Amino acid sequence: GTLSLKHLGSTVLNTQSTGINITGSVVADKANIGTSTAQYSGTDLTVGDNADSQNGLAIQTSTSGVGYILFGDGSGASAYRGEINYSHSTDSLTLKTAGTNRLNLASNGDISFYNDSAAQGLFWDSSTSRLGLGVTNPSSLFHVQGSGAPAIRVQDSDGTNQYTDYGHNGGNTTFVSRNNTTNGSFTFYRYNGTTFSDTFRINADGS
């Protein structure tokens, strides 16, 4: 048989052979599903038991819907300061912090990282296996683009302010070598798989 619980003439709970049906919202201090013990005291919802081989949580929407998990600390926009969402219309996964897109995984495998202005800063082009920094259509394996004088820096952590910058500005390609408070030098090597041999050298004094 069926046992029903009503409130103001409306059924809010009834038992069936397959389980319990609840109409409306359920308010509880804590909930454990598939287990009687929460392994971490700070969680209000625990799904599954550590003796199980697998467990999961399913979020279902329509083919054009969005499923999400929200992290909030207040009302209004503060109710979703952090967010993980999956858009089924584009089959993409987005991660947000401070209410702003930070990471997007596209259906084709492209990966976009966003800067503090919510603009794409780092882009992985899955179809070409190319990485773009400041550019969303990288034309080489590693493509750097920026205003002013964009440069790539390689720094030696064993010393202080010892690095080289490779950059480009206004049609001019630049190489910079620094050795802390003195000028750095440039050395071009040949390598046969065993031995490095100097080919060309520019010393710190320019000779």
Side-chain angles (χ1 to χ4, degrees):
T2 299
L3 175 64
S4 298
L5 177 64
K6 294 186 176 184
H7 176 70
L8 298 178
S10 299
T11 300
V12 294
L13 182 149
N14 66 77
T15 62
Q16 299 178 348
S17 60
T18 56
I20 299 175
N21 289 336
I22 299 175
T23 302
S25 301
V26 176
V27 179
D29 291 334
K30 293 181 181 294
N32 297 329
I33 302 175
T35 183
S36 59
T37 304
Q39 299 300 325
Y40 180 65
S41 60
T43 57
D44 291 332
L45 173 63
T46 300
V47 178
D49 190 85
N50 55 18
D52 300 333
S53 61
Q54 63 178 13
N55 281 301
L57 179 65
I59 300 176
Q60 302 288 337
T61 72
S62 67
T63 56
S64 60
V66 178
Y68 46 81
I69 300 174
L70 305 179
F71 303 87
D73 54 17
S75 59
S78 294
Y80 48 89
R81 296 292 292 166
E83 181 179 342
I84 302 171
N85 76 58
Y86 189 91
S87 171
H88 288 271
S89 61
T90 58
D91 275 330
S92 61
L93 181 71
T94 300
L95 175 66
K96 296 182 179 183
T97 62
T100 304
N101 285 1
R102 300 303 183 190
L103 172 67
N104 179 267
L105 306 177
S107 60
N108 64 351
D110 289 352
I111 304 175
S112 299
F113 294 85
Y114 297 85
N115 59 26
D116 58 1
S117 300
Q120 281 183 318
L122 186 66
F123 177 74
W124 169 254
D125 190 331
S126 177
S127 63
T128 60
S129 294
R130 294 172 178 172
L131 184 65
L133 181 58
V135 58
T136 58
N137 56 340
S139 57
S140 60
L141 289 178
F142 182 42
H143 186 167
V144 178
Q145 178 175 301
S147 59
I152 299 173
R153 173 168 296 184
V154 178
Q155 184 161 351
D156 182 2
S157 61
D158 295 331
T160 301
N161 290 325
Q162 295 175 329
Y163 59 80
T164 181
D165 284 344
Y166 166 65
H168 192 86
N169 185 19
N172 182 45
T173 298
T174 59
F175 296 89
V176 176
S177 180
R178 179 181 178 182
N179 183 19
N180 199 13
T181 58
T182 62
N183 295 322
S185 61
F186 294 92
T187 305
F188 297 84
Y189 290 100
R190 303 186 314 279
Y191 183 54
N192 61 10
T194 304
T195 304
F196 288 95
S197 302
D198 283 10
T199 298
F200 180 69
R201 179 188 294 266
I202 302 176
N203 296 313
D205 61 4
S207 63

PDB file of all heavy atoms in Angstrom, residues 163-165 175-179 182-186:
ATOM      1  N   TYR A 163      69.241  37.015 -17.143  1.00  0.00           N
ATOM      2  CA  TYR A 163      68.217  36.556 -18.068  1.00  0.00           C
ATOM      3  C   TYR A 163      68.481  37.073 -19.474  1.00  0.00           C
ATOM      4  O   TYR A 163      69.332  37.951 -19.700  1.00  0.00           O
ATOM      5  CB  TYR A 163      66.828  37.014 -17.607  1.00  0.00           C
ATOM      6  CG  TYR A 163      66.646  38.510 -17.471  1.00  0.00           C
ATOM      7  CD1 TYR A 163      66.405  39.315 -18.590  1.00  0.00           C
ATOM      8  CD2 TYR A 163      66.686  39.116 -16.224  1.00  0.00           C
ATOM      9  CE1 TYR A 163      66.228  40.679 -18.466  1.00  0.00           C
ATOM     10  CE2 TYR A 163      66.507  40.479 -16.092  1.00  0.00           C
ATOM     11  CZ  TYR A 163      66.278  41.263 -17.217  1.00  0.00           C
ATOM     12  OH  TYR A 163      66.097  42.613 -17.086  1.00  0.00           O
ATOM     13  N   THR A 164      67.729  36.504 -20.417  1.00  0.00           N
ATOM     14  CA  THR A 164      67.714  37.003 -21.784  1.00  0.00           C
ATOM     15  C   THR A 164      66.270  37.247 -22.192  1.00  0.00           C
ATOM     16  O   THR A 164      65.367  36.506 -21.789  1.00  0.00           O
ATOM     17  CB  THR A 164      68.372  36.006 -22.758  1.00  0.00           C
ATOM     18  OG1 THR A 164      68.360  36.553 -24.076  1.00  0.00           O
ATOM     19  CG2 THR A 164      67.627  34.685 -22.785  1.00  0.00           C
ATOM     20  N   ASP A 165      66.053  38.327 -22.938  1.00  0.00           N
ATOM     21  CA  ASP A 165      64.753  38.648 -23.503  1.00  0.00           C
ATOM     22  C   ASP A 165      64.847  38.585 -25.021  1.00  0.00           C
ATOM     23  O   ASP A 165      65.784  39.144 -25.615  1.00  0.00           O
ATOM     24  CB  ASP A 165      64.298  40.054 -23.098  1.00  0.00           C
ATOM     25  CG  ASP A 165      63.804  40.122 -21.671  1.00  0.00           C
ATOM     26  OD1 ASP A 165      63.530  39.053 -21.093  1.00  0.00           O
ATOM     27  OD2 ASP A 165      63.698  41.241 -21.125  1.00  0.00           O
ATOM     28  N   PHE A 175      67.258  41.335 -28.985  1.00  0.00           N
ATOM     29  CA  PHE A 175      67.803  40.343 -28.064  1.00  0.00           C
ATOM     30  C   PHE A 175      68.463  41.107 -26.920  1.00  0.00           C
ATOM     31  O   PHE A 175      69.270  42.010 -27.151  1.00  0.00           O
ATOM     32  CB  PHE A 175      68.849  39.456 -28.743  1.00  0.00           C
ATOM     33  CG  PHE A 175      68.308  38.606 -29.857  1.00  0.00           C
ATOM     34  CD1 PHE A 175      68.263  39.089 -31.161  1.00  0.00           C
ATOM     35  CD2 PHE A 175      67.847  37.321 -29.604  1.00  0.00           C
ATOM     36  CE1 PHE A 175      67.767  38.311 -32.190  1.00  0.00           C
ATOM     37  CE2 PHE A 175      67.345  36.532 -30.627  1.00  0.00           C
ATOM     38  CZ  PHE A 175      67.305  37.030 -31.925  1.00  0.00           C
ATOM     39  N   VAL A 176      68.115  40.761 -25.695  1.00  0.00           N
ATOM     40  CA  VAL A 176      68.671  41.432 -24.524  1.00  0.00           C
ATOM     41  C   VAL A 176      69.301  40.386 -23.615  1.00  0.00           C
ATOM     42  O   VAL A 176      68.699  39.348 -23.329  1.00  0.00           O
ATOM     43  CB  VAL A 176      67.590  42.207 -23.742  1.00  0.00           C
ATOM     44  CG1 VAL A 176      68.177  42.822 -22.476  1.00  0.00           C
ATOM     45  CG2 VAL A 176      66.968  43.291 -24.614  1.00  0.00           C
ATOM     46  N   SER A 177      70.521  40.662 -23.154  1.00  0.00           N
ATOM     47  CA  SER A 177      71.191  39.775 -22.208  1.00  0.00           C
ATOM     48  C   SER A 177      71.630  40.593 -20.996  1.00  0.00           C
ATOM     49  O   SER A 177      72.318  41.617 -21.143  1.00  0.00           O
ATOM     50  CB  SER A 177      72.414  39.111 -22.861  1.00  0.00           C
ATOM     51  OG  SER A 177      73.061  38.254 -21.940  1.00  0.00           O
ATOM     52  N   ARG A 178      71.214  40.159 -19.809  1.00  0.00           N
ATOM     53  CA  ARG A 178      71.538  40.895 -18.589  1.00  0.00           C
ATOM     54  C   ARG A 178      72.223  39.982 -17.587  1.00  0.00           C
ATOM     55  O   ARG A 178      71.839  38.830 -17.409  1.00  0.00           O
ATOM     56  CB  ARG A 178      70.277  41.483 -17.961  1.00  0.00           C
ATOM     57  CG  ARG A 178      70.541  42.251 -16.659  1.00  0.00           C
ATOM     58  CD  ARG A 178      69.279  42.807 -16.050  1.00  0.00           C
ATOM     59  NE  ARG A 178      69.561  43.484 -14.782  1.00  0.00           N
ATOM     60  CZ  ARG A 178      68.635  44.037 -13.999  1.00  0.00           C
ATOM     61  NH1 ARG A 178      67.356  44.011 -14.372  1.00  0.00           N
ATOM     62  NH2 ARG A 178      68.967  44.609 -12.856  1.00  0.00           N
ATOM     63  N   ASN A 179      73.229  40.529 -16.915  1.00  0.00           N
ATOM     64  CA  ASN A 179      73.902  39.822 -15.838  1.00  0.00           C
ATOM     65  C   ASN A 179      73.869  40.701 -14.597  1.00  0.00           C
ATOM     66  O   ASN A 179      74.852  41.357 -14.246  1.00  0.00           O
ATOM     67  CB  ASN A 179      75.342  39.474 -16.233  1.00  0.00           C
ATOM     68  CG  ASN A 179      76.060  38.659 -15.164  1.00  0.00           C
ATOM     69  OD1 ASN A 179      75.428  38.056 -14.305  1.00  0.00           O
ATOM     70  ND2 ASN A 179      77.383  38.653 -15.212  1.00  0.00           N
ATOM     71  N   THR A 182      75.515  44.221 -14.544  1.00  0.00           N
ATOM     72  CA  THR A 182      76.450  44.357 -15.665  1.00  0.00           C
ATOM     73  C   THR A 182      75.787  43.832 -16.931  1.00  0.00           C
ATOM     74  O   THR A 182      74.749  43.175 -16.886  1.00  0.00           O
ATOM     75  CB  THR A 182      77.753  43.563 -15.412  1.00  0.00           C
ATOM     76  OG1 THR A 182      77.437  42.164 -15.295  1.00  0.00           O
ATOM     77  CG2 THR A 182      78.426  44.034 -14.127  1.00  0.00           C
ATOM     78  N   ASN A 183      76.408  44.132 -18.058  1.00  0.00           N
ATOM     79  CA  ASN A 183      75.886  43.646 -19.320  1.00  0.00           C
ATOM     80  C   ASN A 183      76.065  42.144 -19.430  1.00  0.00           C
ATOM     81  O   ASN A 183      77.067  41.586 -18.962  1.00  0.00           O
ATOM     82  CB  ASN A 183      76.598  44.321 -20.495  1.00  0.00           C
ATOM     83  CG  ASN A 183      76.332  45.811 -20.554  1.00  0.00           C
ATOM     84  OD1 ASN A 183      75.216  46.249 -20.267  1.00  0.00           O
ATOM     85  ND2 ASN A 183      77.341  46.591 -20.909  1.00  0.00           N
ATOM     86  N   GLY A 184      75.123  41.494 -20.066  1.00  0.00           N
ATOM     87  CA  GLY A 184      75.270  40.081 -20.355  1.00  0.00           C
ATOM     88  C   GLY A 184      76.005  39.878 -21.666  1.00  0.00           C
ATOM     89  O   GLY A 184      76.320  40.837 -22.386  1.00  0.00           O
ATOM     90  N   SER A 185      76.289  38.639 -21.990  1.00  0.00           N
ATOM     91  CA  SER A 185      76.982  38.303 -23.236  1.00  0.00           C
ATOM     92  C   SER A 185      76.115  37.360 -24.047  1.00  0.00           C
ATOM     93  O   SER A 185      75.128  36.804 -23.548  1.00  0.00           O
ATOM     94  CB  SER A 185      78.346  37.677 -22.943  1.00  0.00           C
ATOM     95  OG  SER A 185      78.182  36.473 -22.189  1.00  0.00           O
ATOM     96  N   PHE A 186      76.492  37.178 -25.320  1.00  0.00           N
ATOM     97  CA  PHE A 186      75.787  36.264 -26.214  1.00  0.00           C
ATOM     98  C   PHE A 186      76.781  35.232 -26.742  1.00  0.00           C
ATOM     99  O   PHE A 186      77.889  35.588 -27.157  1.00  0.00           O
ATOM    100  CB  PHE A 186      75.167  37.007 -27.397  1.00  0.00           C
ATOM    101  CG  PHE A 186      74.064  37.956 -27.025  1.00  0.00           C
ATOM    102  CD1 PHE A 186      74.345  39.297 -26.762  1.00  0.00           C
ATOM    103  CD2 PHE A 186      72.752  37.526 -26.935  1.00  0.00           C
ATOM    104  CE1 PHE A 186      73.335  40.179 -26.422  1.00  0.00           C
ATOM    105  CE2 PHE A 186      71.733  38.389 -26.601  1.00  0.00           C
ATOM    106  CZ  PHE A 186      72.025  39.720 -26.339  1.00  0.00           C
TER     107      PHE A 186
END
